[in-house]
Each structure stands twice: as C-alpha cells, then as structure tokens.
Amino acid sequence: MAICLGVWLLVFLVGVLALLGGLTGGGSGVGVALLLLVVWSIAGALLFYFVARRFRLAEPETLVLARRKLLYDSGSLPMCHSAAKQAFYYGNPNEVFFRSWGKRVRIEIEKGELGVMSLERDNMQQHLTIQRGDQRIEIGPFLRWAEREWLAEQIQAWQSEVSPGVSRIQFGQGD
C-alpha cells in the first residue's frame, strides 16, 4: 500500500512540475500537464478511499427484537486483500467482495408490518430472509446453517409472542 501511495505522489509531483514548467516556459505542454493532474487527482482520491476502507474496522451485523418492532443493521465488512482469509472467515470470497461494496442496510420494522420470514435452500446455499412490503432483506448471510435455523426459530417465536420482552441478537462476522 505504501508503494502505491509513493508512486502516486511521485507522478503527481512530476505533473505539478510539468505544469509549472509549462506555465513559466511559454505554455507548451500545459494542457497535457493539466490533464495529467486532473486524472491523477481523481486516481489519488480513489486510492485514499481504498486505504480508508481497508483499515476501517468491521461492524457486526445486529438484529434487535424489541416489544413492537424489529431493528436490523447489516453492519459493514472490512476490505480484505486476501481471498483465502475472506474464504476462511466469510465463505465465498467473491460474494464478500461485492458485499463489502454494498450499502449498509438499517431498517426498523413494526411487528405488524413484518411480512413473511423464510428459510430457503437452493443448491448448496441457505438464505434467511424477511419481507417488508415488496422488499426482501437477507439476514445473517455469513452465519452457518445451524445458526440461521436457530435465528429463524427465534424470529418465529418473537412474532408469535403476545407481549415479548427485548431480545438483542448479535452475530459476528468471523472474529
């Protein structure tokens, strides 16, 4: 990562020097130097964004079953440069890559608005989803099968209770 930042800084300084040289030397090559600086500034902004994402801490996925509503936060995954590490902690590294770029989902659903909860199996995958209107939200994508089945039972029990207490369920993402 330090090498990328160093190369970026070096080329950026070359662009600044070329722009200054073009401005003081009669204007030849100013357009090219200016274009280089603009493109390289955009690349630098992306590089700094990647560095910030890489070192950001993961936030766990949480599900709160309160008296009258369900609160869900999908959490956030850290960017990981090692596909083997992602596969070890989270399963499919390709799925983790796309999930790490996805938006964090935070929802609050009243108990009466909560639609069908389903635990589906397709091929070698299992998905626990809840429905809110026409939106389907996957819960616990990185949980093991048994953990997803337990969570589905907990949500069903919560839905069937007349006056439940507050239950907070937090499941980690590969500690």
Side-chain angles (χ1 to χ4, degrees):
M1 196 57 68
I3 293 172
C4 290
L5 288 172
V7 169
W8 176 85
L9 185 59
L10 182 65
V11 173
F12 188 78
L13 290 175
V14 167
V16 168
L17 292 175
L19 181 62
L20 291 175
L23 289 175
T24 59
S28 70
V30 172
V32 173
L34 188 60
L35 179 64
L36 174 69
L37 283 178
V38 168
V39 169
W40 212 245
S41 296
I42 292 170
L46 288 173
L47 181 64
F48 285 111
Y49 174 75
F50 288 132
V51 169
R53 288 283 307 247
R54 171 67 179 97
F55 293 107
R56 181 185 72 188
L57 296 176
E59 296 195 28
E61 188 173 12
T62 57
L63 179 69
V64 178
L65 304 174
R67 285 193 196 287
R68 294 186 182 98
K69 57 186 158 187
L70 177 141
L71 304 168
Y72 173 69
D73 181 357
S74 66
S76 64
L77 294 175
M79 288 185 68
C80 183
H81 61 277
S82 169
K85 186 175 180 182
Q86 286 179 348
F88 177 74
Y89 285 122
Y90 308 117
N92 184 352
N94 296 326
E95 182 178 337
V96 172
F97 175 78
F98 290 115
R99 281 192 180 272
S100 66
W101 290 102
K103 284 187 107 172
R104 187 172 181 177
V105 176
R106 291 182 181 134
I107 59 169
E108 183 175 314
I109 306 173
E110 293 293 326
K111 199 172 195 179
E113 295 175 12
L114 187 62
V116 176
M117 187 224 25
S118 64
L119 185 62
E120 303 167 350
R121 292 182 180 94
D122 61 353
N123 294 334
M124 296 299 291
Q125 304 245 336
Q126 180 189 50
H127 304 281
L128 174 61
T129 59
I130 56 174
Q131 188 156 346
R132 178 187 190 186
D134 59 350
Q135 180 185 18
R136 293 189 69 75
I137 301 139
E138 184 175 3
I139 306 290
F142 300 111
L143 293 176
R144 293 180 180 92
W145 283 44
E147 294 167 336
R148 248 186 242 114
E149 290 168 356
W150 174 84
L151 184 58
E153 291 172 6
Q154 296 300 312
I155 294 172
Q156 284 177 339
W158 172 78
Q159 280 182 309
S160 64
E161 286 180 356
V162 177
S163 59
V166 175
S167 176
R168 181 179 180 89
I169 301 169
Q170 179 172 335
F171 30 103
Q173 298 176 349
D175 295 319

PDB file of all heavy atoms in Angstrom, residues 128-148:
ATOM      1  N   LEU A 128     -31.816 -16.821   4.855  1.00  0.00           N
ATOM      2  CA  LEU A 128     -32.869 -16.410   5.784  1.00  0.00           C
ATOM      3  C   LEU A 128     -33.271 -15.007   5.380  1.00  0.00           C
ATOM      4  O   LEU A 128     -32.447 -14.090   5.387  1.00  0.00           O
ATOM      5  CB  LEU A 128     -32.348 -16.423   7.222  1.00  0.00           C
ATOM      6  CG  LEU A 128     -33.293 -15.883   8.295  1.00  0.00           C
ATOM      7  CD1 LEU A 128     -34.581 -16.700   8.346  1.00  0.00           C
ATOM      8  CD2 LEU A 128     -32.601 -15.883   9.641  1.00  0.00           C
ATOM      9  N   THR A 129     -34.520 -14.853   4.984  1.00  0.00           N
ATOM     10  CA  THR A 129     -34.986 -13.544   4.529  1.00  0.00           C
ATOM     11  C   THR A 129     -36.250 -13.147   5.269  1.00  0.00           C
ATOM     12  O   THR A 129     -37.029 -14.000   5.699  1.00  0.00           O
ATOM     13  CB  THR A 129     -35.271 -13.531   3.012  1.00  0.00           C
ATOM     14  OG1 THR A 129     -36.260 -14.525   2.716  1.00  0.00           O
ATOM     15  CG2 THR A 129     -34.028 -13.799   2.207  1.00  0.00           C
ATOM     16  N   ILE A 130     -36.412 -11.837   5.410  1.00  0.00           N
ATOM     17  CA  ILE A 130     -37.667 -11.295   5.922  1.00  0.00           C
ATOM     18  C   ILE A 130     -38.206 -10.349   4.865  1.00  0.00           C
ATOM     19  O   ILE A 130     -37.445  -9.812   4.057  1.00  0.00           O
ATOM     20  CB  ILE A 130     -37.476 -10.559   7.272  1.00  0.00           C
ATOM     21  CG1 ILE A 130     -36.428  -9.466   7.156  1.00  0.00           C
ATOM     22  CG2 ILE A 130     -37.127 -11.523   8.373  1.00  0.00           C
ATOM     23  CD1 ILE A 130     -36.307  -8.612   8.397  1.00  0.00           C
ATOM     24  N   GLN A 131     -39.488 -10.190   4.876  1.00  0.00           N
ATOM     25  CA  GLN A 131     -40.115  -9.360   3.871  1.00  0.00           C
ATOM     26  C   GLN A 131     -40.754  -8.153   4.525  1.00  0.00           C
ATOM     27  O   GLN A 131     -41.418  -8.254   5.556  1.00  0.00           O
ATOM     28  CB  GLN A 131     -41.167 -10.143   3.097  1.00  0.00           C
ATOM     29  CG  GLN A 131     -41.703  -9.383   1.916  1.00  0.00           C
ATOM     30  CD  GLN A 131     -42.263 -10.302   0.864  1.00  0.00           C
ATOM     31  OE1 GLN A 131     -42.027 -11.504   0.891  1.00  0.00           O
ATOM     32  NE2 GLN A 131     -42.984  -9.738  -0.072  1.00  0.00           N
ATOM     33  N   ARG A 132     -40.540  -7.003   3.889  1.00  0.00           N
ATOM     34  CA  ARG A 132     -41.153  -5.744   4.316  1.00  0.00           C
ATOM     35  C   ARG A 132     -41.754  -5.123   3.068  1.00  0.00           C
ATOM     36  O   ARG A 132     -41.040  -4.590   2.233  1.00  0.00           O
ATOM     37  CB  ARG A 132     -40.107  -4.822   4.904  1.00  0.00           C
ATOM     38  CG  ARG A 132     -40.663  -3.492   5.307  1.00  0.00           C
ATOM     39  CD  ARG A 132     -39.543  -2.577   5.723  1.00  0.00           C
ATOM     40  NE  ARG A 132     -40.069  -1.393   6.333  1.00  0.00           N
ATOM     41  CZ  ARG A 132     -39.337  -0.383   6.693  1.00  0.00           C
ATOM     42  NH1 ARG A 132     -38.034  -0.428   6.520  1.00  0.00           N
ATOM     43  NH2 ARG A 132     -39.876   0.673   7.237  1.00  0.00           N
ATOM     44  N   GLY A 133     -43.045  -5.221   2.946  1.00  0.00           N
ATOM     45  CA  GLY A 133     -43.687  -4.770   1.713  1.00  0.00           C
ATOM     46  C   GLY A 133     -43.218  -5.635   0.561  1.00  0.00           C
ATOM     47  O   GLY A 133     -43.311  -6.853   0.594  1.00  0.00           O
ATOM     48  N   ASP A 134     -42.660  -4.996  -0.463  1.00  0.00           N
ATOM     49  CA  ASP A 134     -42.129  -5.764  -1.601  1.00  0.00           C
ATOM     50  C   ASP A 134     -40.607  -5.931  -1.515  1.00  0.00           C
ATOM     51  O   ASP A 134     -39.990  -6.441  -2.434  1.00  0.00           O
ATOM     52  CB  ASP A 134     -42.505  -5.088  -2.923  1.00  0.00           C
ATOM     53  CG  ASP A 134     -41.978  -3.671  -3.019  1.00  0.00           C
ATOM     54  OD1 ASP A 134     -41.490  -3.139  -2.000  1.00  0.00           O
ATOM     55  OD2 ASP A 134     -42.055  -3.094  -4.129  1.00  0.00           O
ATOM     56  N   GLN A 135     -40.022  -5.522  -0.403  1.00  0.00           N
ATOM     57  CA  GLN A 135     -38.572  -5.620  -0.208  1.00  0.00           C
ATOM     58  C   GLN A 135     -38.226  -6.865   0.603  1.00  0.00           C
ATOM     59  O   GLN A 135     -38.773  -7.097   1.663  1.00  0.00           O
ATOM     60  CB  GLN A 135     -38.092  -4.365   0.530  1.00  0.00           C
ATOM     61  CG  GLN A 135     -36.625  -4.325   0.811  1.00  0.00           C
ATOM     62  CD  GLN A 135     -36.240  -3.113   1.661  1.00  0.00           C
ATOM     63  OE1 GLN A 135     -37.078  -2.505   2.306  1.00  0.00           O
ATOM     64  NE2 GLN A 135     -34.963  -2.793   1.658  1.00  0.00           N
ATOM     65  N   ARG A 136     -37.293  -7.668   0.079  1.00  0.00           N
ATOM     66  CA  ARG A 136     -36.808  -8.842   0.801  1.00  0.00           C
ATOM     67  C   ARG A 136     -35.405  -8.546   1.318  1.00  0.00           C
ATOM     68  O   ARG A 136     -34.545  -8.118   0.571  1.00  0.00           O
ATOM     69  CB  ARG A 136     -36.791 -10.066  -0.098  1.00  0.00           C
ATOM     70  CG  ARG A 136     -38.185 -10.501  -0.496  1.00  0.00           C
ATOM     71  CD  ARG A 136     -38.208 -11.832  -1.205  1.00  0.00           C
ATOM     72  NE  ARG A 136     -37.876 -12.967  -0.375  1.00  0.00           N
ATOM     73  CZ  ARG A 136     -38.675 -13.524   0.532  1.00  0.00           C
ATOM     74  NH1 ARG A 136     -39.851 -12.986   0.770  1.00  0.00           N
ATOM     75  NH2 ARG A 136     -38.308 -14.586   1.203  1.00  0.00           N
ATOM     76  N   ILE A 137     -35.191  -8.795   2.598  1.00  0.00           N
ATOM     77  CA  ILE A 137     -33.918  -8.494   3.237  1.00  0.00           C
ATOM     78  C   ILE A 137     -33.318  -9.792   3.754  1.00  0.00           C
ATOM     79  O   ILE A 137     -33.960 -10.514   4.500  1.00  0.00           O
ATOM     80  CB  ILE A 137     -34.120  -7.498   4.395  1.00  0.00           C
ATOM     81  CG1 ILE A 137     -34.734  -6.216   3.849  1.00  0.00           C
ATOM     82  CG2 ILE A 137     -32.806  -7.198   5.098  1.00  0.00           C
ATOM     83  CD1 ILE A 137     -35.790  -5.644   4.711  1.00  0.00           C
ATOM     84  N   GLU A 138     -32.077 -10.061   3.348  1.00  0.00           N
ATOM     85  CA  GLU A 138     -31.407 -11.273   3.819  1.00  0.00           C
ATOM     86  C   GLU A 138     -30.753 -10.989   5.167  1.00  0.00           C
ATOM     87  O   GLU A 138     -30.057 -10.007   5.350  1.00  0.00           O
ATOM     88  CB  GLU A 138     -30.349 -11.741   2.818  1.00  0.00           C
ATOM     89  CG  GLU A 138     -29.721 -13.044   3.232  1.00  0.00           C
ATOM     90  CD  GLU A 138     -28.757 -13.612   2.200  1.00  0.00           C
ATOM     91  OE1 GLU A 138     -28.524 -12.971   1.172  1.00  0.00           O
ATOM     92  OE2 GLU A 138     -28.242 -14.712   2.454  1.00  0.00           O
ATOM     93  N   ILE A 139     -30.995 -11.879   6.107  1.00  0.00           N
ATOM     94  CA  ILE A 139     -30.457 -11.754   7.460  1.00  0.00           C
ATOM     95  C   ILE A 139     -29.369 -12.814   7.659  1.00  0.00           C
ATOM     96  O   ILE A 139     -29.558 -13.971   7.312  1.00  0.00           O
ATOM     97  CB  ILE A 139     -31.569 -11.985   8.514  1.00  0.00           C
ATOM     98  CG1 ILE A 139     -32.757 -11.061   8.277  1.00  0.00           C
ATOM     99  CG2 ILE A 139     -31.031 -11.854   9.918  1.00  0.00           C
ATOM    100  CD1 ILE A 139     -32.509  -9.623   8.571  1.00  0.00           C
ATOM    101  N   GLY A 140     -28.250 -12.418   8.225  1.00  0.00           N
ATOM    102  CA  GLY A 140     -27.192 -13.364   8.581  1.00  0.00           C
ATOM    103  C   GLY A 140     -26.591 -14.115   7.419  1.00  0.00           C
ATOM    104  O   GLY A 140     -26.481 -15.343   7.478  1.00  0.00           O
ATOM    105  N   PRO A 141     -26.140 -13.422   6.369  1.00  0.00           N
ATOM    106  CA  PRO A 141     -25.601 -14.150   5.212  1.00  0.00           C
ATOM    107  C   PRO A 141     -24.327 -14.943   5.513  1.00  0.00           C
ATOM    108  O   PRO A 141     -24.006 -15.868   4.787  1.00  0.00           O
ATOM    109  CB  PRO A 141     -25.328 -13.042   4.190  1.00  0.00           C
ATOM    110  CG  PRO A 141     -25.160 -11.815   5.001  1.00  0.00           C
ATOM    111  CD  PRO A 141     -26.053 -11.979   6.188  1.00  0.00           C
ATOM    112  N   PHE A 142     -23.613 -14.600   6.578  1.00  0.00           N
ATOM    113  CA  PHE A 142     -22.366 -15.290   6.885  1.00  0.00           C
ATOM    114  C   PHE A 142     -22.505 -16.258   8.054  1.00  0.00           C
ATOM    115  O   PHE A 142     -21.518 -16.785   8.541  1.00  0.00           O
ATOM    116  CB  PHE A 142     -21.258 -14.273   7.171  1.00  0.00           C
ATOM    117  CG  PHE A 142     -21.009 -13.380   5.997  1.00  0.00           C
ATOM    118  CD1 PHE A 142     -21.342 -12.046   6.046  1.00  0.00           C
ATOM    119  CD2 PHE A 142     -20.483 -13.886   4.825  1.00  0.00           C
ATOM    120  CE1 PHE A 142     -21.133 -11.226   4.958  1.00  0.00           C
ATOM    121  CE2 PHE A 142     -20.269 -13.069   3.731  1.00  0.00           C
ATOM    122  CZ  PHE A 142     -20.597 -11.738   3.799  1.00  0.00           C
ATOM    123  N   LEU A 143     -23.727 -16.481   8.497  1.00  0.00           N
ATOM    124  CA  LEU A 143     -23.947 -17.455   9.567  1.00  0.00           C
ATOM    125  C   LEU A 143     -23.862 -18.869   9.006  1.00  0.00           C
ATOM    126  O   LEU A 143     -24.091 -19.102   7.823  1.00  0.00           O
ATOM    127  CB  LEU A 143     -25.329 -17.250  10.196  1.00  0.00           C
ATOM    128  CG  LEU A 143     -25.549 -15.964  10.978  1.00  0.00           C
ATOM    129  CD1 LEU A 143     -26.985 -15.872  11.449  1.00  0.00           C
ATOM    130  CD2 LEU A 143     -24.603 -15.882  12.143  1.00  0.00           C
ATOM    131  N   ARG A 144     -23.591 -19.801   9.879  1.00  0.00           N
ATOM    132  CA  ARG A 144     -23.629 -21.208   9.486  1.00  0.00           C
ATOM    133  C   ARG A 144     -25.084 -21.652   9.409  1.00  0.00           C
ATOM    134  O   ARG A 144     -25.974 -21.002   9.934  1.00  0.00           O
ATOM    135  CB  ARG A 144     -22.858 -22.044  10.507  1.00  0.00           C
ATOM    136  CG  ARG A 144     -21.379 -21.734  10.492  1.00  0.00           C
ATOM    137  CD  ARG A 144     -20.648 -22.580  11.518  1.00  0.00           C
ATOM    138  NE  ARG A 144     -19.242 -22.276  11.509  1.00  0.00           N
ATOM    139  CZ  ARG A 144     -18.657 -21.369  12.274  1.00  0.00           C
ATOM    140  NH1 ARG A 144     -19.377 -20.664  13.123  1.00  0.00           N
ATOM    141  NH2 ARG A 144     -17.370 -21.144  12.200  1.00  0.00           N
ATOM    142  N   TRP A 145     -25.324 -22.789   8.797  1.00  0.00           N
ATOM    143  CA  TRP A 145     -26.687 -23.272   8.600  1.00  0.00           C
ATOM    144  C   TRP A 145     -27.430 -23.406   9.919  1.00  0.00           C
ATOM    145  O   TRP A 145     -28.571 -22.972  10.053  1.00  0.00           O
ATOM    146  CB  TRP A 145     -26.665 -24.610   7.870  1.00  0.00           C
ATOM    147  CG  TRP A 145     -26.400 -24.488   6.408  1.00  0.00           C
ATOM    148  CD1 TRP A 145     -25.473 -23.703   5.809  1.00  0.00           C
ATOM    149  CD2 TRP A 145     -27.081 -25.159   5.368  1.00  0.00           C
ATOM    150  NE1 TRP A 145     -25.519 -23.851   4.459  1.00  0.00           N
ATOM    151  CE2 TRP A 145     -26.497 -24.749   4.156  1.00  0.00           C
ATOM    152  CE3 TRP A 145     -28.104 -26.088   5.341  1.00  0.00           C
ATOM    153  CZ2 TRP A 145     -26.920 -25.213   2.934  1.00  0.00           C
ATOM    154  CZ3 TRP A 145     -28.524 -26.563   4.110  1.00  0.00           C
ATOM    155  CH2 TRP A 145     -27.939 -26.127   2.924  1.00  0.00           C
ATOM    156  N   ALA A 146     -26.805 -24.044  10.895  1.00  0.00           N
ATOM    157  CA  ALA A 146     -27.463 -24.266  12.188  1.00  0.00           C
ATOM    158  C   ALA A 146     -27.782 -22.940  12.882  1.00  0.00           C
ATOM    159  O   ALA A 146     -28.832 -22.790  13.499  1.00  0.00           O
ATOM    160  CB  ALA A 146     -26.584 -25.132  13.087  1.00  0.00           C
ATOM    161  N   GLU A 147     -26.888 -21.977  12.753  1.00  0.00           N
ATOM    162  CA  GLU A 147     -27.123 -20.663  13.363  1.00  0.00           C
ATOM    163  C   GLU A 147     -28.284 -19.945  12.693  1.00  0.00           C
ATOM    164  O   GLU A 147     -29.093 -19.305  13.362  1.00  0.00           O
ATOM    165  CB  GLU A 147     -25.856 -19.801  13.260  1.00  0.00           C
ATOM    166  CG  GLU A 147     -24.705 -20.341  14.071  1.00  0.00           C
ATOM    167  CD  GLU A 147     -23.383 -19.692  13.742  1.00  0.00           C
ATOM    168  OE1 GLU A 147     -23.212 -19.150  12.622  1.00  0.00           O
ATOM    169  OE2 GLU A 147     -22.505 -19.733  14.612  1.00  0.00           O
ATOM    170  N   ARG A 148     -28.383 -20.072  11.366  1.00  0.00           N
ATOM    171  CA  ARG A 148     -29.505 -19.463  10.645  1.00  0.00           C
ATOM    172  C   ARG A 148     -30.826 -20.113  11.035  1.00  0.00           C
ATOM    173  O   ARG A 148     -31.836 -19.439  11.198  1.00  0.00           O
ATOM    174  CB  ARG A 148     -29.288 -19.592   9.145  1.00  0.00           C
ATOM    175  CG  ARG A 148     -29.037 -18.278   8.497  1.00  0.00           C
ATOM    176  CD  ARG A 148     -28.957 -18.391   6.996  1.00  0.00           C
ATOM    177  NE  ARG A 148     -27.622 -17.969   6.626  1.00  0.00           N
ATOM    178  CZ  ARG A 148     -26.699 -18.735   6.096  1.00  0.00           C
ATOM    179  NH1 ARG A 148     -26.957 -19.977   5.808  1.00  0.00           N
ATOM    180  NH2 ARG A 148     -25.520 -18.277   5.817  1.00  0.00           N
TER     181      ARG A 148
END
